[in-house]
Amino acid sequence: MKIITKIAELRDHLSAFQRPAFVPTMGNLHDGHLALVRQAKPLGDVLVASIFVNRLQFLPHEDFDTYPRTLQADCAALQAAGCDVVFAPGEAELYPQQQTFKINPPSELTDLLEGHFRPGFFTGVCTVVMKLFACVQPRVAVFGQKDYQQLMVIRQMVQQFALPIDIIGGPTLRAADGLALSSRNNYLSSAERREAVQLSQALQAMAGALRSGTSDVAALEQQAMAALAARGWQPDYLTVRQRSNLQTPGAAEVAALANDAGLVVLGAAKLGKTRLIDNLEV
């Protein structure tokens, strides 16, 4: 496995390949990331994973400075998973000057859910992903479905810019108790880790209610939010949305979409100081 930190060197190395496959990460890798790497491996003739903690997608009060940087361990895990190239640029390499040109995704897709609670987040995500695409020039890229809205935003960005890249979603990998794997799980205390599974269980309960014929989405969401809050969580949202556009379905749409695999339940909530997200397609 080759570790590359310079854009020019990366382009030179990849010039010998026809179909690079790409998995972008911020490092501090867990089994969920490695599952994406293994999924991407047979999709191209060389597999590139990037490790870059992107300042542009962090709000001022968020954990950019304390986000774990574990490059040596990450590279060892990537090599074991079959990665061919690790692209690990420094901030000065990827942003040699202030990044004043940015990708601003449409508000109807990004001013809700994560974009509502983390304003500017998707501008930062789209900008760095576009820049990484320019560096790697992949023909296929794999993103985790745990970041459901992010995956949708990236897919639409690639489509609208006519980029020759197939965007593939990787299933959410979970711990034995159902908790979605996340780098931020490392922030949880042992007691918080035991409690954290309540988020996925709340989403499962919402999905089950929808499959059983519940059509009062507002009441379902309010009950789920209240139940988590009663356990000491600070929920941002637990919500039912249409998979196609992440808009709230009307009562008449709920039954039809629930029977036609057209809904997704999504949640984001803070447990202690750690904010967790998850989703479950219905």
Side-chain angles (χ1 to χ4, degrees):
M1 187 182 74
K2 193 172 182 64
I3 301 173
I4 298 175
T5 61
K6 301 297 183 183
I7 296 172
E9 182 185 355
L10 178 73
R11 287 175 173 158
D12 181 66
H13 180 74
L14 294 180
S15 65
F17 299 93
Q18 298 297 314
R19 187 176 170 82
F22 182 41
V23 179
T25 83
M26 292 205 302
N28 192 30
L29 303 183
H30 51 68
D31 286 344
H33 294 112
L34 301 178
L36 300 180
V37 170
R38 289 188 288 269
Q39 181 178 351
K41 178 70 173 177
L43 302 179
D45 55 0
V46 62
L47 176 57
V48 182
S50 65
I51 296 176
F52 181 72
V53 184
N54 177 41
R55 183 186 297 272
L56 297 185
Q57 68 193 67
F58 288 78
L59 296 179
H61 66 277
E62 292 183 333
D63 56 341
F64 174 78
D65 291 327
T66 58
Y67 195 88
R69 275 83 165 170
T70 55
L71 181 60
Q72 185 174 356
D74 291 342
C75 288
L78 287 169
Q79 185 169 17
C83 186
D84 300 307
V85 177
V86 174
F87 179 46
E91 200 166 18
E93 178 69 13
L94 207 58
Y95 299 133
Q97 53 186 290
Q98 184 179 359
Q99 187 72 32
T100 53
F101 284 83
K102 296 179 180 179
I103 302 292
N104 290 303
S107 60
E108 60 268 21
L109 185 58
T110 59
D111 283 357
L112 67 167
L113 303 175
E114 287 301 284
H116 175 76
F117 288 96
R118 304 179 70 189
F121 170 72
F122 286 112
T123 294
V125 168
C126 288
T127 300
V128 75
V129 169
M130 183 68 86
K131 198 155 194 179
L132 289 168
F133 283 168
C135 296
V136 178
Q137 299 181 42
R139 289 297 174 264
V140 60
V142 180
F143 291 79
Q145 290 179 350
K146 184 178 76 69
D147 297 291
Y148 199 91
Q149 187 177 10
Q150 174 178 282
L151 176 59
M152 180 176 287
V153 169
I154 296 299
R155 277 185 168 143
Q156 292 198 16
M157 180 182 77
V158 166
Q159 180 182 29
Q160 289 202 12
F161 281 101
L163 301 179
I165 306 170
D166 295 328
I167 302 299
I168 307 297
T172 300
L173 202 64
R174 299 182 180 277
D177 63 357
L179 177 67
L181 298 189
S182 168
S183 296
R184 288 188 168 92
N185 292 350
N186 294 330
Y187 296 158
L188 299 170
S189 69
S190 56
E192 288 171 341
R193 172 59 188 85
R194 291 191 295 271
E195 172 65 21
V197 69
Q198 293 297 324
L199 178 58
S200 64
Q201 290 182 355
L203 296 179
Q204 289 170 9
M206 293 174 71
L210 291 166
R211 295 187 190 108
S212 298
T214 296
S215 60
D216 191 341
V217 166
L220 186 63
E221 293 173 346
Q222 290 168 5
Q223 291 166 6
M225 293 269 286
L228 269 192
R231 299 183 66 92
W233 292 69
Q234 302 168 60
D236 285 341
Y237 57 83
L238 284 95
T239 186
V240 179
R241 298 298 171 108
Q242 300 179 57
R243 290 192 204 178
S244 60
N245 56 16
L246 295 183
Q247 297 300 308
T248 302
E253 296 170 303
V254 172
L257 290 171
N259 292 328
D260 194 32
L263 297 177
V264 58
V265 289
L266 307 103
K270 186 177 286 186
L271 180 59
K273 296 182 178 180
T274 305
R275 187 174 184 274
L276 302 177
I277 67 171
D278 199 355
N279 65 80
L280 186 65
E281 291 185 332
V282 181

